[in-house]
């Protein structure tokens, strides 16, 4: 480009020389460029993915990535993600292709704008006589081949016809009218797609539909600003009988325009849909019933009208709103949350002449609740909502694939990793992912096999090690579980790992005690609390319900369960529980008020919706900015945030870098100097230095913390523990002195409620001084704290043999001996 003006302005004699130089330089640049330059750049952008298909086409650079470590394929067009094999993507595209065919009485021919990966076309072509698919990109064959399972080999179907053109131009140039028109275009914010979301485009579509024609269009959420409202309002300005459908818990949504008000005939839908569960691949992706198919309904024309009351902005060719609002904002998320606030039931759009079965209302109520929670969870990044949805699904007896996907045991991911291992049996990530899916699904034998395969290939794989320990916990192999948890905290002492290990060890102690006291309501409740603290709401609720059954006269457990039900909006449960409590304590006006309140909510859908909507908040306002006292919480120095990010930084296998750990600890220590009353920084710095076996430095930090807050005993306890560890580290000889130090360290671990680590030191101590009754007594007390009642009684017996009448040992034997004998019997 620089040579061209030089050559043009040169005189006649020099112009040939400049032109020749231009040719030489251009040729040199061309020859010097790597032959696969752009493919290499795309590969560098995603180094952990394989490129399954790549083509520099006439219209676009086309890529299909295999994200082998995440469990899905992605199709990118000019570096824009267009489609993937993720569960909710496939569900949406199949819905996009099938839904309009099923609400139309007799769909004969269809036009689809945009091919993408062919999934919508593959579903649609199963239910129409002919499908014309118009796409500007002529190079669809390679993409289609990469998604054959998802698109059902659509390009080789006899009733499929490819048209190479721009979608809008194709409609303008042809007067042909269709039964169905489906728009599978890309993001409305994109430079080349906003023209398919304007009022003029919708009017063009309407002009190309037969009188009974149906239009269906893909879009996505969240969108910035008022984009979602503009798109909805623009769509309904041309298609007033519209409905809005969403794959709950995802970005994927669609709009459906019908010639009349949507009215679903249950029997007709069932008759037409049932063959498609297998033929169109719906069941394979979690859609295996009429109710599940209808569960993606979110709003009908009534709900859209209420949501857009007094709203008049539309998108036109000369003022396309979405194109000028690109960056996602809180206002945009809040506008998308209106989709949930105005959520309707498909039951209001069912034809009364074809009543659904009696179970339909109850099933759809559960699905609507699941959809609401997953949509809120996705839009506000609140994973607890996914756990709540799991409770709703379990109570309704629904094995919902979308809930499983949000909780990371998606059936589609399972198939992906099974396929991957068939061709790459040494892929440690695939083994670990597949094991994790089996673990979450309760298939423990398969899970253990996959984790062992991972560790055989990579013994220091931290994630596989902790997953194997959790599998042993689930199968009641408690000794193996504890050994695994303690090993992984040494292998990868990140904050996440340490917190996870602490939660799991807490559960081990409770389970060990429950083995001896299975009818203990208090222990079952504690088990529920342990699950609740780790975010496993489903098992927490189950444990609390069991504790309530066992509790007898202990109404505190029932009250706690009522509070949990209220907190997580399980309204029917809250009404029942507060009712039971009110009957038990008729003189308590607060219980009577709660009982009345939730009973009314459970019986009045309008009031229930109003109450539920008061709990929906966009992300910016979810965290209260003030404490209970009305004071704003203290802010940590920026170094704390940096330290936490570095501390939790691990490689794909979960291994932590010691250099990063030390850097994180030093940043925390720096924070304590900048803000001496930042107690969390002291504790976190000391924990990391201890993990690095730098006991002296950890002790110094605990000492500083104890001086800053002498009223908090935890700092002094940890100071003494680290001082003892440092001293033990210096004493290498066996004998009485070391045995005493081991016992001392164990006592400090017991004091901070880490009996499993205390046991390691005590067992070593009694091996050195087996004739010391007090050491055996310590072992007995620590084993009892850890739930090892058998070992506790045996240690107490040994202590009594060495020192008859030793009070503590006798008390342990009296308290636990009978339970141990009964268990052995």
């Amino acid at each position: 480009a620089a040579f061209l003006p030089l050559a043009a302005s040169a005189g006649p004699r020099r112009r040939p020389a400049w032109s020749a130089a231009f040719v030489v330089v251009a040729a040199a640049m061309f020859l010097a460029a790597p032959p696969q330059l752009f493919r290499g750049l795309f590969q560098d952008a995603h180094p952990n993915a394989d490129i399954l298909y790549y083509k520099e086409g006439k219209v676009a650079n086309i890529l299909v990535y295999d994200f082998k470590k995440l469990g899905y394929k992605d199709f990118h067009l000019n570096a824009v993600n267009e489609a993937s094999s993720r569960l909710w993507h496939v569900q949406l595209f199949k819905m996009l292709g099938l839904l309009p065919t099923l609400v139309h009485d007799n769909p004969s021919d269809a036009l689809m704008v945009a091919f993408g990966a062919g999934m919508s076309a593959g579903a649609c072509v199963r239910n129409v006589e002919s499908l014309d698919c118009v796409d500007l990109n002529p190079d669809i064959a390679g993409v289609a081949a990469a998604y054959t399972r998802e698109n059902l080999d659509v390009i080789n179907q006899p009733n499929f016809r490819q048209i190479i053109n721009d979608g809008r131009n194709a409609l303008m140039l042809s007067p042909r009218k269709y039964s169905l028109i489906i728009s599978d275009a890309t993001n409305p914010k994109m430079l080349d797609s906003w023209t398919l979301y304007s009022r003029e485009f919708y009017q063009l579509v309407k002009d190309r539909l037969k009188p009974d024609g149906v239009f269906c269009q893909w879009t996505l959420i969240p969108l910035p600003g008022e984009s979602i409202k503009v798109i909805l309002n623009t769509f309904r300005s041309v298609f007033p009988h519209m409905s809005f459908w969403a794959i709950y818990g995802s970005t994927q949504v669609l709009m459906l325009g019908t010639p009349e008000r949507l009215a679903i005939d249950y029997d007709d839908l069932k008759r037409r849909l049932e063959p498609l569960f297998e033929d169109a691949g719906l069941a394979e992706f979690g859609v295996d019933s009429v109710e599940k198919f209808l569960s993606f309904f979110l709003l009908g024309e009534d709900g859209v009208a209420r949501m857009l009351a007094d709203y008049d902005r539309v998108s036109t060719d000369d003022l396309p709103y979405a194109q000028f609002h690109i960056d996602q904002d809180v206002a945009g998320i809040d506008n998308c949350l209106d989709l949930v606030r105005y959520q309707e039931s498909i039951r209001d759009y069912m034809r009364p002449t074809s009543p659904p079965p009696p179970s339909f209302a109850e099933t759809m109520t559960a699905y609507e609740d699941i959809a609401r929670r997953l949509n809120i969870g996705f839009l506000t990044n609140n994973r607890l909502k996914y756990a709540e949805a799991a409770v709703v699904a379990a109570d309704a007896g629904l094995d919902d694939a979308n809930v499983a996907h949000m909780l990371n045991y998606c059936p589609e991911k399972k198939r992906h990793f099974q396929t991957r291992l068939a061709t790459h049996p040494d892929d440690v990530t695939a083994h670990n992912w597949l094991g994790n899916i089996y673990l979450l699904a309760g298939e423990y034998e398969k899970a253990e096999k996959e984790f062992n395969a991972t560790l055989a290939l990579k013994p220091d794989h931290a994630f596989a090690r902790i997953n194997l320990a959790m599998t042993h916990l689930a199968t009641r192999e408690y000794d193996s579980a504890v050994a695994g948890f303690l090993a992984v905290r040494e292998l990868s002492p990140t904050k996440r790992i340490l917190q996870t290990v602490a939660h799991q060890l807490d559960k081990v102690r409770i389970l060990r005690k429950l083995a001896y006291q299975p009818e203990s309501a208090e222990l079952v409740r504690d088990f529920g609390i342990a699950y609740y603290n780790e975010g496993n709401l489903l098992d927490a609720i189950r444990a609390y319900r069991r504790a309530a059954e066992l509790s007898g006269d202990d109404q505190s457990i029932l009250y706690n369960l009522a509070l949990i039900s209220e907190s997580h909006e399980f309204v029917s449960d809250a009404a029942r529980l507060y009712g039971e409590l009110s009957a038990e304590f008729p003189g308590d006006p607060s219980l009577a008020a709660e009982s009345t309140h939730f009973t009314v909510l459970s019986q009045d859908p309008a009031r229930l919706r109003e109450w539920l909507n008061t709990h929906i908040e966009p992300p910016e306002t979810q965290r209260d900015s003030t404490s209970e006292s009305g004071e704003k919480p203290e802010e940590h120095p920026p170094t704390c945030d940096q330290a936490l990010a570095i501390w939790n930084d691990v490689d794909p296998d979960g291994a932590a870098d010691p250099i990063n750990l030390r850097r994180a600890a030093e940043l925390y220590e720096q924070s304590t100097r900048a803000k001496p009353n930042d107690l969390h920084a002291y504790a976190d710095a000391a924990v990391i230095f201890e993990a690095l076996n730098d006991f002296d430095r950890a002790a110094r930090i605990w000492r500083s913390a104890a001086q800053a807050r002498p009223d908090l005993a935890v700092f002094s306890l940890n100071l003494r523990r680290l001082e003892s560890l440092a001293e033990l580290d210096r004493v290498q000889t066996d004998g009485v002195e070391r045995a005493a130090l081991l016992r001392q360290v164990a006592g400090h671990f017991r004091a901070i409620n880490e009996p499993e680590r205390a046991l390691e030191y005590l067992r070593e101590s009694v091996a050195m001084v087996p004739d010391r009754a007090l050491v055996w007594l310590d072992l007995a007390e620590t084993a009892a704290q850890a739930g090892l009642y058998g070992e506790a009684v045996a240690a107490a017996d040994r202590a009594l043999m060495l020192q008859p009448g030793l009070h503590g040992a006798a008390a342990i034997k009296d308290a636990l001996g009978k339970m141990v004998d009964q268990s052995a019997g």
Side-chain angles (χ1 to χ4, degrees), residues 371-440:
R372 175 181 172 276
R373 293 175 194 272
L374 291 191
N375 284 328
I376 293 173
F378 162 68
L379 288 168
T380 63
N381 196 28
N382 182 357
R383 292 192 60 82
L384 193 56
K385 288 295 178 184
Y386 309 155
E388 292 175 356
V391 176
V392 176
D395 286 348
L398 300 173
D399 184 14
D400 190 77
N402 294 70
V403 173
H405 175 81
M406 302 311 287
L407 294 176
N408 276 332
Y409 58 102
C410 172
E412 179 55 26
K413 277 192 176 181
K414 179 164 72 172
R415 281 192 292 268
H416 179 98
F417 289 119
Q418 287 172 336
T419 304
R420 173 78 182 172
L421 287 172
T423 55
H424 298 79
D426 293 339
D427 187 331
V428 294
T429 299
H431 279 296
N432 183 60
W433 251 113
L434 187 57
N436 190 59
I437 291 169
Y438 286 137
L439 171 60
L440 292 171

Side-chain angles (χ1 to χ4, degrees), residues 478-522:
Y478 301 135
D479 290 343
S480 297
V482 169
F485 289 133
L486 293 179
V488 81
R489 64 175 292 158
E490 298 295 326
L491 179 65
S492 183
T494 64
K495 186 158 192 173
R496 289 195 189 99
I497 292 289
L498 294 178
Q499 289 175 334
T500 299
V501 167
H503 284 310
Q504 301 309 316
L505 290 177
D506 190 26
K507 282 161 49 180
V508 170
R509 289 174 215 132
I510 298 168
L511 285 168
R512 279 175 160 165
K513 294 173 183 177
L514 274 169
Y516 297 100
Q517 300 166 270
E519 303 299 307
S520 169
E522 292 76 15

Side-chain angles (χ1 to χ4, degrees), residues 151-162:
N151 66 33
L152 309 172
D153 195 24
V154 62
I155 65 172
N156 291 315
Q157 302 307 310
N159 54 341
F160 172 84
R161 183 168 73 104
Q162 179 186 0

Side-chain angles (χ1 to χ4, degrees), residues 380-382 617-627 633:
T380 63
N381 196 28
N382 182 357
E617 296 179 333
E620 190 177 67
T621 58
Q622 282 180 25
R623 292 185 298 275
D624 191 357
S625 60
T626 59
S627 64

Side-chain angles (χ1 to χ4, degrees), residues 431-440 442-456 464-477 480-481:
H431 279 296
N432 183 60
W433 251 113
L434 187 57
N436 190 59
I437 291 169
Y438 286 137
L439 171 60
L440 292 171
E443 299 180 68
Y444 302 125
E445 187 175 341
K446 293 180 180 178
E448 184 172 0
K449 178 183 176 183
E450 296 300 332
F451 296 138
N452 281 327
T454 307
L455 293 171
R465 195 164 292 281
I466 198 167
N467 286 335
L468 180 59
M470 293 176 76
T471 306
H472 288 150
L473 174 59
T475 55
R476 302 184 182 185
E477 299 171 70
S480 297

